[in-house]
Amino acid sequence: MTAGFQVVDWRGDSAQGQIDPMYLARTNDGRRIPATRDESGHCPCCNEELAAKLGDIYEWHWSHKPGQACSYRKTSTFWQYSWIRHYHASGEWDVETHVDGVDFDGVHSQKRLALMLAHKVDLIALKSFVEASLQRGLRPMVIFQAKAFERFQFEDYRLKHPRRSDNSWIFFFSHAFRGHSRTASLWVDIEQDKHPHFGLKSGAYNLTYSAECHGAITVHPIPRLKSVFCADRSSTDDFEL
Ligand SMILES: [Zn+2]
């Protein structure tokens, strides 16, 4: 019997809205640390002491205590958490960080990249991320969870929303038009054992817009594997894929 436990697949969204996992807390002397029993951690935004969640069911993480009103990382999910942990482990990225007053999921200062981990195609949030990145001299990179496209039809490596009034494609048209200078590097993270996977293998697939197919998003047929996705020294070339 597992009564009393909520079994959560940490890569999924069954926990969305109930838990807001934070990867890095701040220590009293200003360091950023993953969840631990050995030190207390504070929220980098409201500075309240956080609860370290160190169970067997969840990935270890920090979380606000009940009643704390802070909204920092409030909408984060375990899918985002897994990428943040991945980039943190690379040693090259600052994760859950901020630049000139704006929060970013990740920043690669050497390569001047800013990261957004998006679980939906929210045009307003995407636009403000792209603008905030460019204003700070950072090139925006968005990794979408496959779920963001669950209502889309997938055919011939193109994602198309069945509703003609859906205008998600405009973001791809504006920032990742093939043959034009691209202002954002856009990806979809496919997990082949999860819905929706569109019949694709696990990996990160580059997303662009192509003049040949109006109103659709073009999916690059060859994925990058997550394990080498950011370790690859040529990852800035992804901009030109
Ligand atoms: Zn807080």
Side-chain angles (χ1 to χ4, degrees), residues 23-226:
Y23 186 58
L24 298 176
R26 189 160 60 203
T27 62
N28 284 323
D29 57 0
R31 285 170 297 117
R32 299 292 302 274
I33 53 165
T36 170
R37 276 189 190 94
D38 305 331
E39 280 188 88
S40 60
H42 298 261
C43 171
C45 181
C46 68
N47 214 29
E48 292 282 344
E49 188 170 342
L50 300 166
K53 300 290 178 76
L54 308 171
D56 295 329
I57 295 171
Y58 305 116
E59 286 290 300
W60 287 17
H61 62 277
W62 298 103
S63 184
H64 281 101
K65 292 175 181 173
Q68 291 176 344
C70 176
S71 63
Y72 182 69
R73 306 302 299 174
K74 197 80 188 168
T75 58
S76 70
T77 66
F78 281 94
W79 170 78
Q80 290 169 316
Y81 182 99
S82 74
W83 276 103
I84 282 169
R85 190 182 53 172
H86 170 74
Y87 278 110
H88 183 72
S90 79
E92 298 180 350
W93 288 75
D94 293 323
V95 297
E96 293 182 351
T97 188
H98 59 92
V99 181
D100 301 338
V102 170
D103 287 319
F104 291 97
D105 289 332
V107 168
H108 194 305
S109 2
Q110 214 184 335
K111 290 180 181 166
R112 305 301 299 164
L113 292 169
L115 172 70
M116 179 181 187
L117 297 161
H119 49 78
K120 55 183 174 181
V121 186
D122 176 340
L123 293 176
I124 292 167
L126 289 164
K127 185 167 180 273
S128 79
F129 163 72
V130 167
E131 281 171 8
S133 304
L134 296 174
Q135 280 162 6
R136 285 156 184 79
L138 301 167
R139 294 186 298 168
M141 174 172 152
V142 182
I143 302 174
F144 290 96
Q145 187 173 14
K147 191 166 96 49
F149 301 103
E150 68 186 340
R151 287 166 197 230
F152 286 61
Q153 288 159 354
F154 182 74
E155 207 183 331
D156 294 337
Y157 290 95
R158 296 211 158 88
L159 287 163
K160 190 163 187 165
H161 200 289
R163 239 186 27 233
R164 286 179 72 96
S165 59
D166 183 89
N167 57 1
S168 315
W169 59 271
I170 291 175
F171 179 71
F172 300 83
F173 172 86
S174 307
H175 297 290
F177 202 138
R178 277 171 181 244
H180 295 61
S181 84
R182 291 187 221 165
T183 39
S185 175
L186 309 174
W187 302 82
V188 59
D189 175 25
I190 300 285
E191 295 168 277
Q192 68 190 23
D193 54 347
K194 287 190 95 102
H195 175 79
H197 52 68
F198 308 111
L200 299 170
K201 288 188 194 148
S202 294
Y205 292 76
N206 194 239
L207 300 174
T208 54
Y209 189 85
S210 157
E212 297 130 49
C213 197
H214 185 69
I217 301 158
T218 300
V219 180
H220 196 283
I222 301 159
R224 293 291 183 104
L225 297 179
K226 186 171 177 174

